[in-house]
Amino acid sequence: MFCVTPPELETKMNITKGGLVLFSANSNSSCMELSKKIAERLGVEMGKVQVYQEPNRETRVQIQESVRGKDVFIIQTVSKDVNTTIMELLIMVYACKTSCAKSIIGVIPYFPYSKQCKMRKRGSIVSKLLASMMCKAGLTHLITMDLHQKEIQGFFNIPVDNLRASPFLLQYIQEEIPDYRNAVIVAKSPASAKRAQSFAERLRLGIAVIHGEAQDAESDLVDGRHPPP
């Protein structure tokens, strides 16, 4: 007599057997606050990790519990010191990789350098470089929100979940602003008019667009491949 385990139960058993660990980086207080709320919602304890800066500003990470064979979630929000934030994440990911973690999922609400996702003049596509660094460090999955351009997902060779904040913003407006139907959705520039229109349509409100100084479009910038006019 053979007993076949249903696929959904088998997946649950694998997760239970390996377990998950939730780590928070040390970028700022908001990162710790977000991590604690997520841990409370999941009903798990925060993983033990020590992240600090050496006197010469080098970042040092010490994982203080076993992550072997476990699913590791690393939560990192971006502070004003963006480069330190990135190094904290990369070192934490690499530390978990060398400690034989089963999978390493990065939870980054705002993806840094996302605005540098296109070639300008003789610059570089920095978001592509950052994506390569994260994958090389050992990241196996990325969860982020509202990427500056959807095409950034193609810079990764790992799964990327690009979540949207608009449903929560719409809910907040409807529940927390009593007289919101007398409001107007304002786009700060013509470039953001499409997003503002999406909010206005779902809330059934009017829309206004602010026209300021004309800025050069990305297509008009000289990239060195063509002679100037």
Side-chain angles (χ1 to χ4, degrees), residues 14-29:
N14 290 338
I15 294 176
T16 303
K17 183 178 179 181
L20 64 87
V21 182
L22 184 66
F23 288 130
S24 173
N26 194 33
S27 56
N28 50 46
S29 58

Side-chain angles (χ1 to χ4, degrees), residues 203-229:
L203 291 172
R204 298 182 180 180
L205 300 176
I207 181 174
V209 181
I210 298 177
H211 289 268
E213 278 187 46
Q215 296 181 353
D216 294 332
E218 292 183 5
S219 58
D220 297 333
L221 295 176
V222 179
D223 61 3
R225 293 176 293 180
H226 304 284

Side-chain angles (χ1 to χ4, degrees), residues 76 78 82-91 93 108 110-117 124-139 142 144 147 152 154-158 160:
Q76 176 65 300
V78 179
V82 180
N83 296 328
T84 299
T85 296
I86 294 171
M87 286 307 300
E88 282 185 3
L89 177 66
L90 294 176
I91 296 174
V93 170
I108 312 172
Y110 174 75
F111 188 75
Y113 287 100
S114 60
K115 291 186 178 180
Q116 299 188 45
C117 60
S124 60
I125 306 176
V126 184
S127 56
K128 167 62 176 175
L129 171 64
L130 187 55
S132 301
M133 292 168 62
M134 290 182 177
C135 294
K136 189 67 176 179
L139 204 67
L142 175 66
T144 186
L147 286 173
I152 296 176
F155 296 161
F156 293 83
N157 55 12
I158 58 174
V160 177

